[in-house]
Amino acid sequence: MAKMMKQAQDMQGKMAQMQEDLDHIMVEGVSGAGLVKATATAKGELKSLDIDPSIFNGEDKEVVEDLILAAIKDAQSKAAERSQQEMGKMAEAMGLPAGMKLPF
């Protein structure tokens, strides 16, 4: 029983460390052939937005807004994918079956 408790505590520690690590892993979403770039953490928190000044034209306001949204959605999608990859690595390291979703 003590061994199981120790393993559970180890897993909790590893999960906490992984959650912290996800704050430091950055992913980049891109739209408009690189004219708009959104950077987010692997947790999906938007950190920066880079917009090429060439797209600013008063008549193209809706296009610019769409490009910004597309870049943010791309970054969030990549963040979710990266987060799942990292959790999969941790599950594998703990000897859990492939495809098991973490956290439980």
Side-chain angles (χ1 to χ4, degrees):
M1 184 68 151
K3 184 178 179 182
M4 284 179 53
M5 292 299 290
K6 173 79 168 116
Q7 287 176 332
Q9 286 177 334
D10 288 347
M11 185 172 11
Q12 275 186 320
K14 288 179 182 177
M15 286 292 292
Q17 181 61 48
M18 185 191 63
Q19 290 295 323
E20 187 177 319
D21 291 346
L22 291 177
D23 280 329
H24 302 288
I25 296 172
M26 296 294 164
V27 295
E28 183 176 79
V30 180
S31 69
L35 293 174
V36 179
K37 298 175 185 172
T39 302
T41 67
K43 283 187 171 180
E45 182 182 343
L46 188 64
K47 289 294 189 178
S48 69
L49 192 59
D50 181 38
I51 304 170
D52 188 298
S54 69
I55 67 172
F56 289 108
N57 180 342
E59 298 170 9
D60 296 332
K61 179 182 181 293
E62 288 179 12
V63 173
V64 172
E65 290 170 344
D66 289 343
L67 289 174
I68 291 169
L69 285 175
I72 291 170
K73 287 178 182 179
D74 188 38
Q76 290 172 331
S77 173
K78 288 177 180 176
E81 186 178 307
R82 182 65 186 268
S83 179
Q84 284 300 314
Q85 287 174 352
E86 295 298 318
M87 287 188 188
K89 288 178 190 176
M90 191 172 98
E92 186 178 312
M94 291 189 305
L96 297 173
M100 185 170 210
K101 300 284 184 191
L102 289 176
F104 301 108

